[in-house]
Amino acid sequence: MCNTVAVTRARWTAETTPLPPHALAWLRDRVGLGEPLPEVPVEAPDSALSEDAFTALEAVCPVSVDAGDRLARAGGLSYLDLLRHRGHGEPAVPDGVVRPGSPDQVVEILKVCVEHDVAVVPFGGGTSVVGGVEALRGDKSAVVALDLGGLSELVSVDPVSRVAVLQAGVTGPEAERMLGEHGFTLGHVPQSFERATIGGFAATRSAGQASSGYGRFEDVVESVRVATPVGEWVAGAAPASAAGPDLKQLVLGSEGLFGVITEVSVRVRPRPRDPRYEGFVVDGWEAGADLVRALAQDGALADVTRLSDVDETEVALALAGSRAGVVKKYLRFRGVKNPCLVILGWECRSRATTMRALAGRKVVRLGGAMGKSWLHGRFNGPRQRDALIDAGVCVETLETATHWSRVSELREAVKTALRAELGDPIVMCHISHAYETGASLYFTVLVPRDLDDPVRQWERAKVAASDAISRLGTITHHHAVGRDHRPWLAGEIGPIGTDVLRAVKDRLDPAGILNPGKLI
């Protein structure tokens, strides 16, 4: 017997941004549109949580087996997740939702779940796009989603040391609001910012758009408080230490397999007084990659340094509407044949240093209007996915990182793999994060959806692209491993690395209740 529930889109998208008519017209001409995908009511199977387990969990904190509550935590926000919640494919639905209100309650929940053979999937903002929060049961009798939304406090702020302690369920916007009341910012703004949580940032080694200035999330973490099935663990005690390997790095990126992150101590900085964003254009991908590499190796990166290839620049200009014609005409006047957009943004780094490094290079400056346009639309990707799916488009992203000597080769390999599987898609790419030795590449794919088997259409493309990525770079730069990237992890870290992770898992979670089927 199943409970049929129509889950509203508000559960899956923080805010939906419609596609303007000119964007739809351009997309129809450029790649074509598929037929709208009919929505089918989603069925939630009856809960397998035993009465004894329910009673024991309810003695600790609120528990729900309501079909709507369970469906709302059945997966993340990947393209396949969105299809499943339209009735195409089967979401993995948890048997219950547990809502702790304190770190101590999380410890007690894990004890109960070990006793009653119940798997536990930590759930924050639910923004995973790699299957990281799928409610897989493994070999357990049932599985619960551990909703950390009740852990929503700013525990403390040390203004002298510039360190703050935040509970794991605090969202990105709430963290900025609470820290802002003390004059500080975390400065961590990934594209998932509106819904993602502090615990999720830590569990996935998240990278924000301004990480060149503020650092990736693991760079700002001072310590983590973790609830494990064998007890509570605090990793990290000082700004720097030589007391053996840095054990907090075992927690960062562990995706809930070793324990549930309940609090994170982070470095904070004064709020920027005069953030500035500007747009530039270079002629061709290679020229752009050389420019970003020079900025990184000369210590002149802006906080946000983003290079779009020709395809992504074409889309950006198409979405700009009436302004696009003026910009294109200006670029032709300047002799630019293959425009690649560069967005630079300064919040805590020196703009003057970057501008000195740009002097003498063939860079066309578009000014602050283009930079502000990017800033205003920085979250449009997640917001517009529903509209694109409604328009009959398969839309998904991939990301990786490699050394500078392989950046262009990797970009071309992934594009070739995707085109071989999808026909004639739009495959956009940008450098999202740059380092002295290399950079990350972020791909966005648009193609008319296969109405006969939309799930298999993307699964084939994902495998082909991941195979190409694994030969030349890392399987993930900031989306994490989850379920989707798991087949390629062993090839990257090797059998000894895999054994190390399994040993840690066995020590901290001997019953194997934590997030089955992910990472290893």
Side-chain angles (χ1 to χ4, degrees), residues 89-287:
E90 295 184 7
V93 183
D95 297 298
V97 179
V98 186
R99 298 186 178 97
S102 71
D104 290 339
Q105 287 184 349
V106 177
V107 175
E108 293 304 311
I109 288 167
L110 298 187
K111 290 179 181 177
V112 170
C113 288
V114 168
E115 181 181 353
H116 291 273
D117 193 41
V118 175
V120 178
V121 179
F123 194 97
T127 61
S128 173
V129 292
V130 293
V133 292
E134 280 193 56
L136 302 181
R137 186 179 299 177
D139 61 356
K140 303 306 171 188
S141 64
V143 56
V144 295
L146 180 62
D147 189 325
L148 295 164
L151 275 64
S152 57
E153 295 182 7
L154 171 61
V155 178
S156 64
V157 176
D158 177 350
V160 177
S161 305
R162 293 184 179 176
V163 171
V165 178
L166 291 154
Q167 289 188 327
V170 175
T171 65
E174 279 298 292
E176 289 302 315
R177 182 189 64 78
M178 292 189 289
L179 291 171
E181 293 174 354
H182 297 269
F184 291 110
T185 181
L186 183 57
H188 190 75
V189 185
Q191 200 171 49
S192 60
F193 172 78
E194 294 175 300
R195 284 187 53 167
T197 60
I198 295 296
F201 293 154
T204 60
R205 298 177 73 92
S206 173
Q209 293 168 340
S211 63
S212 294
Y214 294 101
R216 289 170 57 95
F217 198 74
E218 69 261 28
D219 299 326
V220 306
V221 174
E222 297 287 306
S223 65
V224 284
R225 182 179 178 183
V226 188
T228 82
V230 296
E232 192 169 67
W233 177 28
V234 176
S241 172
D246 187 356
L247 293 179
K248 73 172 180 285
Q249 294 298 335
L250 279 174
V251 178
L252 300 174
S254 63
E255 302 186 38
L257 264 74
F258 301 158
V260 179
I261 297 168
T262 56
E263 289 181 357
V264 186
S265 174
V266 292
R267 181 191 72 212
V268 294
R269 292 185 177 176
R271 297 187 72 180
R273 294 183 179 179
D274 186 27
R276 186 165 178 173
Y277 287 78
E278 296 183 26
F280 303 80
V281 165
V282 294
D283 196 354
W285 169 262
E286 294 297 342

Side-chain angles (χ1 to χ4, degrees), residues 307-321:
L307 166 70
S308 295
D309 70 1
V310 171
D311 292 310
E312 187 167 280
T313 300
E314 179 189 4
V315 173
L317 292 176
L319 294 178

